[in-house]
Amino acid sequence: MASGALHATYGFTAGRKMAGPPLHTCEIQQPRAILSRVHMLFHAIATSALLYYRISNLLHGSVPFVSWTFITISEMIFAFIWALAQAFRWRPVVRTVVQDNLPRDDKLPGVDVFICTADPTKEPVVEVMNTVLSAMALDYPADKLAVYLSDDGGAAVTLYAIKEACEFAKSWIPFCRKYEIKTRCPEAYFSSLGDAERLLWSKEFKAEEENIKVKYQFFKRNVKKAAEVEASVRSDRPPYVEVIYDTKNNGGVEDKTKMPLLVYVSRERRPSRPHRFKAGALNSLLRVSGIMSNAPYVLVLDCDMYCNDPSSAKQAMCFHLDPNISSSLSYIQYPQIFYNVSKNDIYDGQARAAYKTKYQGMDGINGTVCAGTGYYLKKKALYGQPNHEDEFLDDPEKNFGLSSKFITSLKALNGKNVVNGSENLSDATLEEANNLASCTFEENTKWGKEIGYSYECLLESTFTGYLLHCKGWKSVYLYPKRPCFLGCTTIDMKDALVQLMKWASGLVQVGFSRFSPLTYGVSRMSLLQSMCYGYFAFTHFFSIACLLYGIVPQLCFLFGIPLYPKVTDLWFAAFATVFVSSLAQHLYEVLSSGGSIRTCWNEQRIWMIKSVTACLFGCLDILMKWIGIAKASFRLTNKAIDQEKLEKYEKGKFDFQGAKMFMVPLSLLVLLNLGCFIGGVKGLISGRNIEEMFGQGALSLYILVLSVPILEGLVPKMSK
């Protein structure tokens, strides 16, 4: 841990006397930062020597031009992306919060929760309702909390399910508050994840718990039965907004039994109108919530990412209510933690490198990337620049659209909750909400351009977060001991690669657009922060480098063409140093973040697989869109769990079923590597210079060992 700590406090800034108790602390990870900076220098020297050797021999030496050109290009790509990645390691920080120093509940600002779902066949309705229930049960004043479910499928079963969930919540929420249950997702609570909370309780508790369990099973059975009968998506429908639970029903009841506002929103969808995918859904929720609850802050959740710690809202307020950072603070990002990650984690579902390394590094240089779920956002940040949030209110109807109610709500967005039961949720309000959720409302406005979530990229939250940083907003990354949100990760190769392909396509598109971090971003944010965003935008070009490195050295090894210095040559030390240095840095980051040697190996293996499959197809996807062969489309990740796939995943066996498209380049590369390795070894036995070919032989062997799971998957297919 860092020897020096920076303490951010409520009512305290550097050079001033402390005016209030601290709400949070920020600690620089000094040992990690120092070691990383030393390694940067060491690795940069070795990489420079390697590139000097390559380029000088290519220009002035008598080497095979084509093969050396390709291998030089690949090594320059590796070096470029490595250089961008060093920004993450410059100043990593760790933050903690002090909830006891928050104001009283009646002084807390309002929070709206946005949950988006799109297809009940791919996103099981019971799982979605568990997320809704966990959000309704947050440890936050009920009259300052509102939960909105956006149903982009317009499915009747989703509307039925949320009504059933509301009835169950009338028993579930008081039970959680009475016994201070932390696991407030019922499915998780009644599983092994909630075992620790069911120990050493009284008979009264056991009786109440059994009663709640019976009610939950009844709710679950009804919803599943309804989903079996009708779970179709309607792609041509009018807008529909319904208040499922009105806070006026809280009058005269105890605080423990009060429930938050619960609203169902199905925005209008027409085949002839642009859909705008999740960004469009979030913008609709911004408008609808504006005339209903109008909370100044919003929590955005994926439908499969439930609230695991009910105190997450109060933890976020420890930052949003700090007057020293709140004026420029846009959002607090929590990590995505997954409850179904196996011990082996063969697909790197936990994304350790992102949430335990890169995000902490970005947090130290004005803020981390927005992950798309599990973040508390200040709504004003979506409407302007820091300290100039009202700039679009000069001509509100032109910028925000023709809605006097919504424009009034924008002017009232001053940190106070304005929910007022029957007054705010009148028939006129619901009629206006339907207007705000129509697909024609945004015409000739700045929604999706300069206001709200951006429509420029399918990765709406990540790109919008990037634009917020470009405007001068900052963000915070909080990684608490108890995960505040838990989700479900992919458990087979197909879903993992489809998901990554979607990310790769979106990020590469940003990298080559007018919003490129290395041009647009670098002129609007710090160099280090733009390098981080540049890494995300261009890291998928590893696919090109890996493709070249998976073909050229192997073919040259087969035909006896040397690409590396002799093992006895001093220049060979540069190549060996870069290779060992990269592995050592990766191993250090894995071990220092709680991983193991097996974790390091699994990450190396899946990185290679993803680079030449999903990343490659993501780059090709952008190319096809540019030349007009393909159109932008939203690929929804399948959240339904297949038991057979789950068993394979838990056993650590790769499941390539359904991933034929991705397997073609992967299989060809593995078979090419195997054939060239065998042929190259035969050549060495027959008298070739081992010193010249040692580097290529070692590289080919290393790739071959990493490729064992692919070979295991190919053997049964070839035998068939």
Side-chain angles (χ1 to χ4, degrees):
M1 278 297 167
S3 57
L6 301 177
H7 295 279
T9 61
Y10 185 60
F12 169 77
T13 52
R16 298 181 186 175
K17 292 183 179 180
M18 185 177 294
L23 281 174
H24 58 93
T25 64
C26 176
E27 191 175 15
I28 304 172
Q29 295 179 296
Q30 290 287 15
R32 180 173 150 191
I34 292 171
L35 284 173
S36 294
R37 293 177 189 183
V38 171
H39 176 263
M40 286 178 210
L41 178 62
F42 175 75
H43 193 88
I45 293 172
T47 302
S48 299
L50 184 154
L51 293 177
Y52 173 79
Y53 173 83
R54 279 284 182 222
I55 295 171
S56 60
N57 276 275
L58 187 61
L59 295 176
H60 307 294
S62 55
V63 295
F65 181 77
V66 176
S67 57
W68 272 66
T69 298
F70 281 134
I71 206 70
T72 302
I73 290 172
S74 64
E75 286 168 349
M76 290 178 73
I77 293 173
F78 282 132
F80 171 67
I81 298 174
W82 173 85
L84 292 177
Q86 301 320 295
F88 296 110
R89 302 184 175 109
W90 188 256
R91 191 178 180 268
V93 299
V94 174
R95 298 181 187 270
T96 58
V97 296
V98 188
Q99 294 183 63
D100 294 339
N101 294 336
L102 279 172
R104 300 191 315 269
D105 282 2
D106 61 334
K107 299 292 184 182
L108 292 173
V111 173
D112 291 336
V113 182
F114 292 172
I115 301 168
C116 297
T117 185
D119 188 343
T121 61
K122 292 186 176 181
E123 298 168 331
V125 188
V126 171
E127 190 173 300
V128 176
M129 293 308 125
N130 268 274
T131 301
V132 171
L133 287 163
S134 69
M136 293 177 69
L138 283 170
D139 183 16
Y140 211 74
D143 60 340
K144 294 177 180 287
L145 187 66
V147 179
Y148 296 82
L149 176 66
S150 170
D151 178 16
D152 253 9
V157 66
T158 306
L159 179 57
Y160 168 79
I162 195 173
K163 292 178 179 179
E164 290 291 301
C166 183
E167 285 302 310
F168 173 67
K170 294 174 183 177
S171 301
W172 173 248
I173 293 176
F175 171 74
C176 291
R177 288 174 180 163
K178 179 179 179 180
Y179 294 104
E180 298 182 348
I181 302 297
K182 286 190 174 182
T183 306
R184 297 192 178 183
C185 168
E187 185 69 26
Y189 175 78
F190 291 116
S191 72
S192 58
L193 295 171
D195 286 346
E197 297 198 68
R198 295 197 297 273
L199 299 174
L200 305 175
W201 281 101
S202 63
K203 291 182 179 179
E204 179 189 2
F205 168 80
K206 292 292 183 183
E208 284 193 51
E209 182 192 52
E210 188 60 33
N211 182 43
I212 293 292
K213 188 174 183 179
V214 171
K215 290 182 178 180
Y216 176 64
Q217 294 298 336
F218 179 74
F219 152 75
K220 190 175 174 180
R221 187 167 54 251
N222 285 347
V223 172
K224 283 188 173 181
K225 189 181 295 184
E228 291 172 359
V229 175
E230 180 62 50
S232 60
V233 171
R234 292 187 299 149
S235 57
D236 190 356
R237 61 179 189 269
Y240 182 75
V241 179
E242 182 177 343
V243 176
I244 307 301
Y245 185 85
D246 193 339
T247 51
K248 69 180 181 182
N249 297 322
N250 288 335
V253 300
E254 296 180 10
D255 286 346
K256 288 185 178 180
T257 59
K258 288 181 178 180
M259 299 218 306
L261 175 68
L262 180 62
V263 182
Y264 170 87
V265 179
S266 176
R267 64 191 174 113
E268 183 180 15
R269 186 170 181 180
R270 303 297 182 190
S272 59
R273 298 280 183 176
H275 183 50
R276 307 300 189 188
F277 309 110
K278 188 178 176 181
L282 290 171
N283 284 338
S284 292
L285 290 179
L286 283 170
R287 295 191 294 271
V288 171
S289 66
I291 65 170
M292 288 188 168
S293 51
N294 202 29
Y297 301 101
V298 57
L299 164 63
V300 179
L301 291 175
D302 281 348
C303 63
D304 65 331
M305 184 70 64
Y306 69 83
C307 302
N308 185 59
D309 188 337
S311 70
S312 66
K314 289 186 175 179
Q315 291 185 49
M317 290 306 125
C318 289
F319 298 98
H320 277 307
L321 297 184
D322 183 349
N324 304 297
I325 64 172
S326 62
S327 62
S328 61
L329 180 62
S330 56
Y331 60 87
I332 288 87
Q333 177 68 61
Y334 289 88
Q336 292 188 55
I337 309 295
F338 304 101
Y339 60 82
N340 64 331
V341 172
S342 67
K343 291 182 179 179
N344 206 3
D345 191 18
I346 53 176
Y347 302 123
D348 189 27
Q350 65 177 330
R352 181 212 56 81
Y355 299 120
K356 292 188 176 181
T357 303
K358 292 182 173 63
Y359 280 33
Q360 290 178 340
M362 286 192 77
D363 193 19
I365 48 177
N366 292 336
T368 190
V369 68
C370 185
T373 182
Y375 63 94
Y376 284 86
L377 172 76
K378 181 192 295 180
K379 285 185 181 178
K380 281 186 177 181
L382 296 173
Y383 303 142
Q385 299 178 7
N387 302 315
H388 295 88
E389 298 93 337
D390 299 332
E391 60 180 307
F392 292 111
L393 287 174
D394 294 336
D395 191 357
E397 292 186 349
K398 180 181 178 181
N399 296 323
F400 291 97
L402 300 174
S403 173
S404 58
K405 279 183 176 290
F406 180 64
I407 292 170
T408 300
S409 74
L410 290 173
K411 294 176 180 178
L413 199 61
N414 56 5
K416 295 181 180 179
N417 198 347
V418 296
V419 172
N420 193 13
S422 58
E423 180 183 339
N424 270 37
L425 304 181
S426 62
D427 291 341
T429 300
L430 287 175
E431 185 179 346
E432 184 61 19
N434 280 283
N435 173 46
L436 293 169
S438 66
C439 32
T440 57
F441 181 81
E442 294 182 353
E443 288 184 353
N444 302 316
T445 68
K446 292 190 177 180
W447 283 101
K449 301 169 186 174
E450 297 180 64
I451 292 172
Y453 285 86
S454 176
Y455 297 151
E456 293 285 343
C457 177
L458 287 179
L459 302 178
E460 70 295 318
S461 296
T462 301
F463 186 67
T464 300
Y466 164 66
L467 293 180
L468 290 177
H469 284 140
C470 287
K471 291 177 182 177
W473 291 101
K474 297 180 181 180
S475 62
V476 160
Y477 180 59
L478 183 63
Y479 197 122
K481 290 183 179 179
R482 179 183 173 90
C484 285
F485 305 99
L486 284 177
C488 178
T489 190
T490 52
I491 58 170
D492 70 340
M493 186 66 78
K494 175 195 170 185
D495 288 338
L497 295 181
V498 167
Q499 188 180 61
L500 180 60
M501 177 181 164
K502 178 182 73 174
W503 294 340
S505 177
L507 291 169
V508 170
Q509 179 186 3
V510 174
F512 283 97
S513 71
R514 66 186 181 91
F515 296 103
S516 176
L518 301 186
T519 54
Y520 183 89
V522 77
S523 63
R524 290 166 173 81
M525 61 175 72
S526 70
L527 175 62
L528 290 176
Q529 197 172 24
S530 62
M531 286 173 64
C532 291
Y533 276 110
Y535 172 86
F536 287 124
F538 295 105
T539 185
H540 303 288
F541 284 98
F542 266 138
S543 59
I544 298 173
C546 288
L547 193 65
L548 292 173
Y549 240 78
I551 297 175
V552 177
Q554 285 73 12
L555 290 175
C556 290
F557 184 55
L558 175 65
F559 294 108
I561 303 171
L563 290 177
Y564 300 98
K566 291 182 179 180
V567 71
T568 55
D569 193 324
L570 185 62
W571 284 109
F572 185 82
F575 289 85
T577 299
V578 169
F579 180 74
V580 174
S581 172
S582 298
L583 292 181
Q585 174 68 17
H586 181 215
L587 181 61
Y588 166 73
E589 289 182 350
V590 169
L591 297 179
S592 63
S593 59
S596 62
I597 294 177
R598 171 176 280 189
T599 304
C600 183
W601 179 256
N602 286 340
E603 287 184 4
Q604 287 278 330
R605 183 172 57 193
I606 197 65
W607 172 81
M608 181 196 73
I609 293 173
K610 288 179 177 179
S611 293
V612 296
T613 54
C615 294
L616 179 63
F617 279 95
C619 296
L620 292 175
D621 186 52
I622 287 298
L623 180 61
M624 289 190 292
K625 287 174 184 175
W626 279 345
I627 61 180
I629 296 177
K631 293 182 179 180
S633 61
F634 182 76
R635 301 175 182 89
L636 188 63
T637 305
N638 191 357
K639 310 279 180 25
I641 299 297
D642 183 285
Q643 195 59 37
E644 183 181 346
K645 291 181 177 181
L646 180 61
E647 290 175 2
K648 280 186 177 181
Y649 172 65
E650 290 177 343
K651 291 178 182 178
K653 294 182 178 180
F654 281 82
D655 182 5
F656 297 103
Q657 187 176 356
K660 291 181 179 179
M661 177 182 74
F662 298 110
M663 285 301 294
V664 172
L666 187 62
S667 301
L668 290 175
L669 285 173
V670 170
L671 293 175
L672 175 68
N673 187 76
L674 178 62
C676 290
F677 179 76
I678 294 172
V681 170
K682 285 184 177 180
L684 291 178
I685 294 172
S686 63
R688 286 182 188 160
N689 192 327
I690 297 178
E691 289 185 353
E692 282 186 342
M693 306 306 297
F694 177 81
Q696 284 150 263
L699 175 65
S700 187
L701 178 62
Y702 179 71
I703 295 174
L704 200 60
V705 175
L706 285 173
S707 306
V708 168
I710 296 98
L711 289 169
E712 289 177 346
L714 286 174
V715 169
K717 292 181 181 180
M718 293 174 71
S719 63
K720 288 181 183 180

